[in-house]
């Protein structure tokens, strides 16, 4: 049985189906007792993971949710593999952000709604909204 610990506060984000042979273990903040784990999904706030670490036993893999893991090697030692989110935020992420900003500024969601409804006279709804953006 592979025991995977996760921050108790992240329970809402867990998948509904867990593979056979995997036990998901909530890790409270801070733990009230020692917990044996094979894998730890780190807290989004490294300081919380640091406070939990003394209560954990047998961890072989730390899955950090952040790219920055400078804090982890001194904490976990050389016998624990550390995986981080390096490369998760690439140029494509920046491009998506710019696209999302521009689509909001140009009321693309409104135009999509108008297109779906087939009521083309609604296109005039965007004009005053757009004008308000450019008139202080």
């Amino acid at each position: 049985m592979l025991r995977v610990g996760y921050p108790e506060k992240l329970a809402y984000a867990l998948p509904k189906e867990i593979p056979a042979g995997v036990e998901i273990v909530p890790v409270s903040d801070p733990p009230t007792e020692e917990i044996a784990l094979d894998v730890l999904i780190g807290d989004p706030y490294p300081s919380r993971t640091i406070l939990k670490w003394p209560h954990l036993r047998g961890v072989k893999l730390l899955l950090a949710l952040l790219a920055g893991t400078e804090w982890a090697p001194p904490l976990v030692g050389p016998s624990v593999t550390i995986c981080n989110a390096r490369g998760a935020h690439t140029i494509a992420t920046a491009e998506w952000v710019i696209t999302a900003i521009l689509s909001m500024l140009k009321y693309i969601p409104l135009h999509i709604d108008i297109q779906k409804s087939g009521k083309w006279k609604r296109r005039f709804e965007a004009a005053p909204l757009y004008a308000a953006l450019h008139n202080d």
Side-chain angles (χ1 to χ4, degrees), residues 18-40:
I18 305 300
V22 176
E23 179 183 0
I24 303 296
V25 180
V27 179
S28 62
D29 191 21
T32 56
E33 57 190 32
E34 288 187 357
I35 303 170
L37 298 172
D38 299 298
V39 177
L40 174 65

Side-chain angles (χ1 to χ4, degrees), residues 93-115:
T93 304
E95 291 170 342
W96 180 89
V97 169
I98 297 298
T99 302
I101 291 169
L102 290 173
S103 72
M104 290 300 169
L105 289 174
K106 296 293 187 177
Y107 295 97
I108 299 299
L110 173 64
H111 291 290
I112 290 171
D113 186 45
I114 290 168
Q115 182 183 26

Side-chain angles (χ1 to χ4, degrees), residues 46-103:
S47 58
R48 290 188 201 155
T49 301
I50 292 168
L51 291 174
K52 293 173 185 178
W53 191 258
H55 302 276
L56 306 177
R57 301 290 176 260
V59 177
K60 296 172 187 69
L61 177 66
L62 170 62
L63 299 174
L65 300 177
L66 306 168
T69 55
E70 307 79 32
W71 55 271
L75 177 71
V76 303
S79 62
V80 175
T81 301
I82 303 166
C83 297
N84 64 18
R86 180 177 180 223
H89 303 294
T90 62
I91 292 172
T93 304
E95 291 170 342
W96 180 89
V97 169
I98 297 298
T99 302
I101 291 169
L102 290 173
S103 72

